[in-house]
Amino acid sequence: MIKLLDAPTSTGEVSVTMRRADGAVGYLKGDVIQTLVDVRGRNLAAHVDAAVDVLLQEGASRILVLGFGGGAASTMLHQAGASVVSVDRDPCAKPLAELFFRAPPCLKVVVSDAAAYVEQARAASFDGMFIDFQDSCVTPEAYLSASFWRAVSRVLKPGRMMVINLTDWLYGGSDWTDFRRALGQGGFDAVALSHEYGDGNRILVSSTLSQSVGELVS
């Protein structure tokens, strides 16, 4: 990998790298690749494709993305015609996404902590959500907090879907039981977990109503 840029931030170092073999560009926070695109800016992370597909399949038109990174998911949703609001606590995320990952400048990116944003957001203001802000091998504190998931449930319209990117550190680690418990206490009782996409990631699909969503994830 060729390192193109290091950007120290208040929440840790962000790096942009290029893969020698094919020129693919990655956005890394700590040791975690948050975005990977080819030389044309097309997404190369299969779990991101899957998450976007689920939200579009469900007809989500106003979508909240918690964890912007290099902007691949937000860009794909925008290009599909959805209205997207993205949240990232690193102020460098949006300019780096535009410079290296071909994210359109028109994307709305709010610089904020994800938990703080959903606490203050208007109720029932989104009909879809993608949550992807685990940027180390440590589970985000919010993921283990029932109050965070209650805030997420309040911001989603009733019965609508959220998709969470899970790293193998979470679903294969000691926090998995506590994560599932917090999710249930937060009002999300319908859950489907995908297979592993080859990069250590799975997606978890959940809604705020008791309904079967297993057919959405293959």
Side-chain angles (χ1 to χ4, degrees):
M1 300 290 283
I2 301 171
K3 187 166 287 189
L4 302 178
L5 179 116
D6 281 329
T9 75
S10 60
T11 61
E13 187 173 83
V14 170
S15 299
V16 178
T17 63
M18 183 174 68
R19 200 160 59 189
R20 292 179 184 273
D22 58 4
V25 180
Y27 180 103
L28 288 80
K29 181 70 179 295
D31 294 324
V32 179
I33 295 180
Q34 296 190 336
T35 301
L36 185 66
V37 301
D38 67 13
V39 293
R40 297 184 179 180
R42 295 175 300 194
N43 172 61
L44 294 176
H47 69 278
V48 174
D49 282 336
V52 169
D53 285 346
V54 168
L55 291 168
L56 295 179
Q57 178 183 331
E58 284 298 289
S61 60
R62 180 166 168 78
I63 300 171
L64 178 63
V65 176
L66 297 179
F68 180 71
S74 300
T75 297
M76 294 165 67
L77 291 165
H78 168 76
Q79 290 173 341
S83 173
V84 185
V85 176
S86 305
V87 177
D88 201 292
R89 59 183 181 169
D90 289 324
C92 68
K94 188 175 191 289
L96 291 182
E98 294 174 12
L99 182 61
F100 291 103
F101 300 94
R102 303 197 181 187
C106 62
L107 289 179
K108 180 178 180 180
V109 182
V110 179
V111 179
S112 173
D113 174 77
Y117 182 87
V118 294
E119 282 289 344
Q120 299 170 9
R122 182 167 51 87
S125 52
F126 295 94
D127 57 12
M129 192 179 301
F130 180 39
I131 299 176
D132 184 14
F133 60 88
Q134 182 170 8
D135 53 26
S136 73
C137 59
V138 178
T139 304
E141 183 178 343
Y143 282 21
L144 305 179
S145 167
S147 63
F148 170 71
W149 297 114
R150 282 193 289 269
V152 168
S153 176
R154 183 186 63 82
V155 169
L156 272 175
K157 292 181 179 178
R160 302 301 297 184
M161 295 291 180
M162 72 167 178
V163 183
I164 310 168
N165 173 41
L166 301 176
T167 68
D168 54 0
W169 295 311
L170 179 51
Y171 67 76
S174 59
D175 288 332
W176 181 239
T177 298
D178 290 339
F179 166 76
R180 292 289 299 270
R181 182 183 299 113
L183 196 66
Q185 292 173 345
F188 292 95
D189 59 350
V191 176
L193 182 65
S194 76
H195 64 275
E196 186 177 317
Y197 285 97
D199 51 5
N201 296 86
R202 301 186 185 195
I203 62 168
L204 183 149
V205 180
S206 185
S207 78
T208 53
L209 292 179
S210 298
Q211 58 184 2
S212 175
V213 297
E215 68 273 15
L216 295 175
V217 180
S218 59

